[in-house]
Amino acid sequence: GAGVSQSPSNKVTEKGKDVELRCDPISGHTALYWYRQRLGQGLEFLIYFQGNSAPDKSGLPSDRFSAERTGESVSTLTIQRTQQEDSAVYLCASSLAVANEQFFGPGTRLTVL
Amino acid sequence: QQQVKQSPQSLIVQKGGISIINCAYENTAFDYFPWYQQFPGKGPALLIAIRPDVSEKKEGRFTISFNKSAKQFSLHIMDSQPGDSATYFCAAILSGSARQLTFGSGTQLTVLP
């Protein structure tokens, strides 16, 4: 089947605008993660969804960041009132419930002007 | 707080040579140590992984060496090829956690033809 897909692939926005990023995980993967990758740096964990359990939001950098997931399918990451420091590649990954291997999507490159 | 430290930041190797990337960690509660390979414009992909009860794991030209007492692990790429040119990330997963990845800062490997 298809891998993890993300949209849009690129997003340019103006400071102060809200953006919504989408992730479609691999079918059957109950775990879904969002990470942020700043230029030249490693990935930072943002949020984790597992089935119908409450999400682990411990990595969200501020209350401007939120995410939702409908059941075990699509997830959206929303950044409100974007700031220039939000510019990064946002990556989504999914995995089977108790598996260690995470499969990453290609990411959404967000540029805040 | 950077929990996984990775070096070098960049590495240039001749074709056929050995590429060595090192990582160190502090938290002894990590129980799984994967390496990811990332090509430009793509999400990271799992390359090889090891658990702390094993000192070495080899898959083809890729070997992880793990030193539990020193809290260090390294990736060796034997017979490096130009197609191996990519960014490599070490990572770690905390025992009992949501299995989110804690990444090193990455090593940009260039293999010269």
Side-chain angles (χ1 to χ4, degrees):
Chain A
V4 178
S5 61
Q6 293 186 245
S7 61
S9 55
N10 282 283
K11 176 71 176 179
V12 180
T13 190
E14 293 179 346
K15 178 181 174 181
K17 300 281 190 180
D18 297 352
V19 296
E20 190 173 279
L21 313 179
R22 177 186 169 110
C23 171
D24 284 88
I26 293 172
S27 177
H29 280 192
T30 57
L32 187 147
Y33 304 80
W34 283 97
Y35 293 87
R36 177 172 68 179
Q37 185 175 26
R38 290 189 163 128
L39 185 65
Q41 298 184 25
L43 286 74
E44 306 168 76
F45 165 74
L46 296 177
I47 189 169
Y48 159 73
F49 295 91
Q50 170 57 51
N52 294 317
S53 301
D56 179 345
K57 305 179 182 179
S58 59
L60 294 179
S62 79
D63 59 7
R64 296 186 296 105
F65 288 72
S66 63
E68 293 184 349
R69 187 181 186 194
T70 306
E72 295 181 354
S73 59
V74 172
S75 176
T76 56
L77 176 69
T78 302
I79 308 173
Q80 295 178 310
R81 305 181 302 281
T82 52
Q83 303 294 313
Q84 288 183 332
E85 62 262 28
D86 298 334
S87 296
V89 176
Y90 290 82
L91 289 148
C92 174
S94 70
S95 71
L96 293 170
V98 292
N100 286 313
E101 181 172 5
Q102 296 177 24
F103 296 83
F104 284 83
T108 294
R109 181 175 297 278
L110 174 66
T111 302
V112 182
L113 302 176
Chain B
Q1 180 186 3
Q2 187 181 5
Q3 296 194 54
V4 180
K5 295 183 179 180
Q6 183 172 347
S7 63
Q9 186 174 18
S10 63
L11 180 61
I12 300 174
V13 175
Q14 293 286 341
K15 178 182 176 181
I18 302 173
S19 304
I20 302 174
I21 304 171
N22 300 298
C23 284
Y25 64 97
E26 288 297 323
N27 194 335
T28 56
F30 287 132
D31 69 355
Y32 188 74
F33 299 87
W35 284 87
Y36 279 80
Q37 179 188 56
Q38 185 178 31
F39 292 103
K42 305 289 186 182
L46 179 65
L47 190 62
I48 187 173
I50 198 167
R51 294 191 179 278
D53 54 349
V54 176
S55 61
E56 184 175 282
K57 183 174 182 180
K58 183 176 181 179
E59 290 183 1
R61 295 185 294 109
F62 300 91
T63 300
I64 300 178
S65 296
F66 191 88
N67 186 329
K68 188 174 181 178
S69 60
K71 293 187 283 187
Q72 296 175 347
F73 59 111
S74 60
L75 176 69
H76 292 63
I77 306 174
M78 311 300 287
D79 187 26
S80 299
Q81 299 296 312
D84 296 332
S85 297
T87 301
Y88 292 81
F89 293 95
C90 61
I93 294 180
L94 273 172
S95 171
S97 69
R99 313 307 288 171
Q100 70 267 31
L101 293 154
T102 298
F103 282 88
S105 55
T107 296
Q108 187 166 354
L109 172 65
T110 302
V111 181
L112 301 175

